Amino acid sequence: MRLYIIYAIILRYVRVFFHDINRLFSLFFWPAFDMFLWGFLGQWVQESSGGDFQLAFLSSIALWQMMLRFSQEMASSFLEDVWTQNLINFFVAPIKVVEWFIGLITISSAVGIAVYFNCAFIVSLLYKKSFITFVYNFLTFGPALFLSGIFLGMIPLILIMKLGRKGAEMAYIITWIVAPFCGVFYPRTVLPLFAQKIGSFLPMTYVFEGVRNYMIHGIFPAKQLAISCGISSLYIVISLTIFMHVFAQTKKSGLSRLYD
Amino acid sequence: MIEITIFVKSNNMSFQLIVENLTKIYSSGRWPFKQKSFTAVDNISFSLKEGEILGFLGKNGAGKTTTIQMLLGTLTATKGNIYYFGKDFFSHRIEILNQIGYASGYDKLPGRLTIQENLDIYGRLYGLSYHDRKSTIKHLLEFFDITSLKDKQAATLSAGQMTRVLLIKAWLSKPKIILLDEPTASLDPDVSLDVIQFVIEQKKQHGTSFLITSHNMAEVTEMCDRIIMMHNGVIIANNTPEMLAQSISDTKVHLMVSQKQEILLQFLKDQKMIFEERLHEIIIHMKEKNIGDFLFSIAQKGIQYAQIAIEPPTLEDYFLAQTKKLKGVKK
């Protein structure tokens, strides 16, 4: 693995990102919009229920935004090469798949972190919540969610690698499909039994339950974080294996097929 | 691997690329449904020497681009071996790709990045130092006369400008081999000449080998040391452009007739000769050895001509003759 190659890949994604006004806009606008919307809803619920429900709620949403943008950025960066018909140029350069992958995860992580701290800043500004709490939450729950984000981001990558441009729409939808089941906006227990069972297979569910338990009851969710990291690691191995298989299959019909 | 080393030594030549029995079969349909297969490239073998410019000619669907994609590893071959510099491509992929440049008239670069930014990234991917990137990009932008475009976004370029940028990208790391897929497809004639000049210069100065696919016969004749002609995935000819053209014995005689044109036309019809009637001239196809007899015959009939030109066969004639011969021959 060569660091100068990884640096070049990251630099390329950074340059593409900062030239794209829509992606820059979405980095700040949608997280701010969510914080604004859910923040006041949380305030209303808090006033009628007591406890710092609002902080717990907004912490979950900020972490969700981080994971969502992280996984979506993985898909967007890859799609950019498909849309611009640059994929072949890129893959005939002396790049190892692992170097490309590390570059992709690094830039996606940077976007996720930027989104998270943007949310934290807005919450501390609008609702007078402690910024330090958000830093602590990031350090405690962030790593487990990044692992979940890698797995979640792999699904669109596999879809795009398999279907090319045709898979773009589905790639974005798939990251939202998990939202109702993983307990970001409400505890998993309010879901019907079948939905709870689906949630139990998602690694991020344990993190969001942990956040809620910690913020409302003060219980540190060590066990839940460990379960989440374990499931995520397993899913990453499975999804990487599937990705490499799909990549090899796609090369049988040619990478240029993805432009169709 | 051992076989290749022996091959290279026994010929006392430096082969940059050796392709053996390369085959690509596309299959469609999944089990248990009936599978259909299509052979795009059928068991082809060829080699490329150091400093050689090899042209790949053929109609659309002949298998040229499929071959190039397999040579780059973006398409997996069904069968066959590819050796660059005596090393197996599949087990030395990164090492080999570091020494190969590639440009295609069909590819693009990230549209939002400027030309300078795009080229800088590719320079980094090939491990060039800051100084090398800066000086090489500057020199090549000047050579292709697009220095003024360096701060423009790639998306705003015309197809011709984009091709020139991709050629610069291909040459950035000064590779030992450059694969060019239809490099002049979208270029104006004057820019095409620049490309031809560039290719010939790199070959002379650095001993770079080129593998070029093209539809343009004149350009291929001018540039290439050797031509491989493909049809339905099979190599049907592998020789120098001159030898291929000479293998066609048909010559065209251009006559600008000043008197008795009608008699000439009747004579050609009677003799069942192939001819084309143009505005100011008649072009007659015949074997080179028959020209003398033909001119003697028309002189006897009192046919006079103001001008005569004898056009030797070209690579295009060879291509057309081969295509005509193979028309209807389907696999």
Side-chain angles (χ1 to χ4, degrees), chain B residues 102-213:
Chain B
Y102 162 74
S104 165
Y106 305 117
D107 284 342
K108 288 171 188 160
L109 290 170
R112 291 194 184 92
L113 298 194
T114 65
I115 303 312
Q116 180 78 33
E117 286 173 328
N118 266 309
L119 293 173
D120 176 70
I121 293 291
Y122 277 98
R124 287 170 187 271
L125 291 176
Y126 283 90
L128 300 187
S129 67
Y130 170 76
H131 175 75
D132 281 352
R133 288 199 307 274
K134 202 177 163 190
S135 60
T136 311
I137 292 171
K138 186 174 180 286
H139 165 72
L140 291 170
L141 285 171
E142 279 167 9
F143 180 88
F144 282 105
D145 198 21
I146 50 171
T147 306
S148 58
L149 302 176
K150 73 183 170 79
D151 295 321
K152 281 187 96 175
Q153 289 192 327
T156 64
L157 300 189
S158 69
Q161 289 167 337
M162 176 57 82
T163 307
R164 278 180 275 179
V165 175
L166 288 170
L167 282 169
I168 295 174
K169 187 220 78 166
W171 182 245
L172 267 184
S173 60
K174 297 190 177 65
K176 290 183 181 168
I177 298 180
I178 298 186
L179 307 179
L180 301 176
D181 191 12
E182 305 275 359
T184 54
S186 51
L187 299 183
D188 293 329
D190 58 329
V191 186
S192 293
L193 277 176
D194 282 349
V195 174
I196 294 168
Q197 191 196 337
F198 173 77
V199 167
I200 294 170
E201 237 175 60
Q202 302 318 314
K203 175 201 158 169
K204 278 184 187 164
Q205 285 181 12
H206 305 279
T208 312
S209 307
F210 286 85
L211 195 153
I212 302 170
T213 71

Side-chain angles (χ1 to χ4, degrees), chain A residues 67-186:
Chain A
M67 191 193 67
L68 184 74
R69 283 309 309 258
F70 171 82
S71 55
Q72 285 186 343
E73 190 55 38
M74 282 177 70
S76 300
S77 300
F78 184 47
L79 256 179
E80 181 88 22
D81 285 323
V82 176
W83 284 119
T84 56
Q85 290 180 238
N86 180 49
L87 203 66
I88 290 185
N89 277 318
F90 198 56
F91 278 107
V92 299
I95 300 168
K96 292 176 187 167
V97 175
V98 65
E99 290 164 343
W100 168 68
F101 202 66
I102 290 172
L104 198 60
I105 287 178
T106 309
I107 180 67
S108 306
S109 305
V111 169
I113 292 168
V115 165
Y116 179 78
F117 283 104
N118 178 33
C119 292
F121 178 73
I122 291 164
V123 169
S124 55
L125 200 76
L126 277 181
Y127 311 111
K128 308 280 182 275
K129 303 290 178 193
S130 162
F131 190 79
I132 302 294
T133 306
F134 278 84
V135 175
Y136 178 80
N137 284 350
F138 171 75
L139 295 173
T140 310
F141 303 107
L145 277 179
F146 273 117
L147 285 179
S148 300
I150 293 174
F151 142 67
L152 202 59
M154 286 301 294
I155 300 171
L157 283 192
I158 292 167
L159 282 170
I160 298 163
M161 190 52 91
K162 178 79 186 163
L163 304 169
R165 290 179 175 187
K166 288 174 282 208
E169 278 296 315
M170 216 192 290
Y172 284 107
I173 292 168
I174 209 96
T175 48
W176 274 103
I177 285 177
V178 299
F181 305 103
C182 67
V184 184
F185 302 95
Y186 38 76

Side-chain angles (χ1 to χ4, degrees), chain A residues 132-258:
Chain A
I132 302 294
T133 306
F134 278 84
V135 175
Y136 178 80
N137 284 350
F138 171 75
L139 295 173
T140 310
F141 303 107
L145 277 179
F146 273 117
L147 285 179
S148 300
I150 293 174
F151 142 67
L152 202 59
M154 286 301 294
I155 300 171
L157 283 192
I158 292 167
L159 282 170
I160 298 163
M161 190 52 91
K162 178 79 186 163
L163 304 169
R165 290 179 175 187
K166 288 174 282 208
E169 278 296 315
M170 216 192 290
Y172 284 107
I173 292 168
I174 209 96
T175 48
W176 274 103
I177 285 177
V178 299
F181 305 103
C182 67
V184 184
F185 302 95
Y186 38 76
R188 192 163 51 125
T189 47
V190 304
L191 292 170
L193 199 61
F194 82 94
Q196 285 188 41
K197 282 194 174 160
I198 293 172
S200 66
F201 285 101
L202 299 169
M204 55 291 261
T205 307
Y206 300 94
V207 181
F208 291 120
E209 279 187 345
V211 172
R212 204 171 289 109
N213 273 338
Y214 179 70
M215 301 300 291
I216 296 174
H217 308 296
I219 307 161
F220 187 78
K223 191 181 165 190
Q224 284 157 312
L225 287 177
I227 293 171
S228 173
C229 290
I231 298 175
S232 289
S233 303
L234 177 69
Y235 285 177
I236 289 170
V237 171
I238 294 170
S239 55
L240 266 174
T241 310
I242 296 172
F243 178 81
M244 292 311 289
H245 173 73
V246 173
F247 186 47
Q249 288 298 115
T250 303
K251 277 174 51 170
K252 279 186 182 172
S253 47
L255 289 183
S256 57
R257 184 187 61 84
L258 298 177

